Amino acid sequence: MGIHQGHRERMKQEFLQGGLTHFSEPRVLELLLFYSRFQGDVNPLAHRLLDTFGSLAGVLDASPEELSKVPGVGENTVTLLKLIPALSARYLASRTSAEVILSDSASLRTLFAPYFFGARNELSFVACFDGKLKLLGVEKLSEGSPSANEISLRAISAAALKHNATAVVLAHNHPSGLATPSQEDISLTHYVQRALQPIGIALYDHVILTDDDMVSLRDSRYLTSF
């Protein structure tokens, strides 16, 4: 067993026995890189990535194009680094979507937060509920740019009808970090509410999320009837 192989095995065992609690960011990234660079010392590459992007979060948030510019980063490494936040979001969504019953806006934050985990662009989702406000499913509606996104009434209606929903909740994010609804957000909410009423579907709420905040248009009294 070579020196690097022995080092890898020791780090793997340390993680399996104690998790990442005592791992520095360079060591976390080094452990991850073992699975895209199967031989050799990956510590210099871990430090190069952190120097380039500033933190572990910065590395995982970087675009494939940005990552590919770092010397030593190939397709396997780019794929692995982009897989981690995507897999984390899917894992969190899977855990929180099971047996959800809508009770208040806090439950909506718990439900939707995983779907926006690590998002760099504006995204929109619709959650579909039955008459007892039990979750039937969550569907992605669209993805835009970091500052704009189009939400289609047709996509909302299709998702609601697919799940045979009685009520829906819209959600989108503001990557800027400010969850305050714009006038366009308020107008869209009223438009969707009116458009869904003739087909027997109620818009229960429209929520706007950032990394550490959420605004409910229902709680803010922009949407008062249900």
Side-chain angles (χ1 to χ4, degrees), residues 91-209:
Y91 166 73
L92 292 172
S94 179
R95 288 193 65 181
T96 57
S97 294
E99 297 299 318
V100 170
I101 297 178
L102 179 56
S103 56
D104 53 25
S105 57
S107 63
L108 288 174
R109 180 176 173 83
T110 300
L111 170 64
F112 281 116
Y115 291 92
F116 297 101
F117 181 85
R120 295 164 58 95
N121 295 325
E122 281 201 13
L123 306 172
S124 63
F125 291 84
V126 60
C128 301
F129 297 86
D130 66 12
K132 296 182 179 179
L133 297 181
K134 181 179 178 180
L135 182 67
L136 300 171
V138 178
E139 301 278 343
K140 183 177 180 180
L141 297 173
S142 59
E143 179 171 356
S145 69
S147 59
N149 186 32
E150 294 289 333
I151 300 178
S152 162
L153 176 62
R154 180 179 299 229
I156 297 168
S157 302
L161 293 172
K162 170 186 173 182
H163 291 282
N164 196 26
T166 300
V168 297
V169 176
L170 294 182
H172 77 277
N173 63 326
H174 283 176
S176 64
L178 185 63
T180 304
S182 66
Q183 187 56 53
E184 289 80 3
D185 294 330
I186 297 168
S187 298
L188 173 69
T189 302
H190 293 157
Y191 168 69
V192 171
Q193 182 185 34
R194 291 192 300 268
L196 292 178
Q197 286 174 343
I199 58 174
I201 299 169
L203 178 61
Y204 182 90
D205 204 347
H206 182 184
V207 295
I208 302 169
L209 290 92

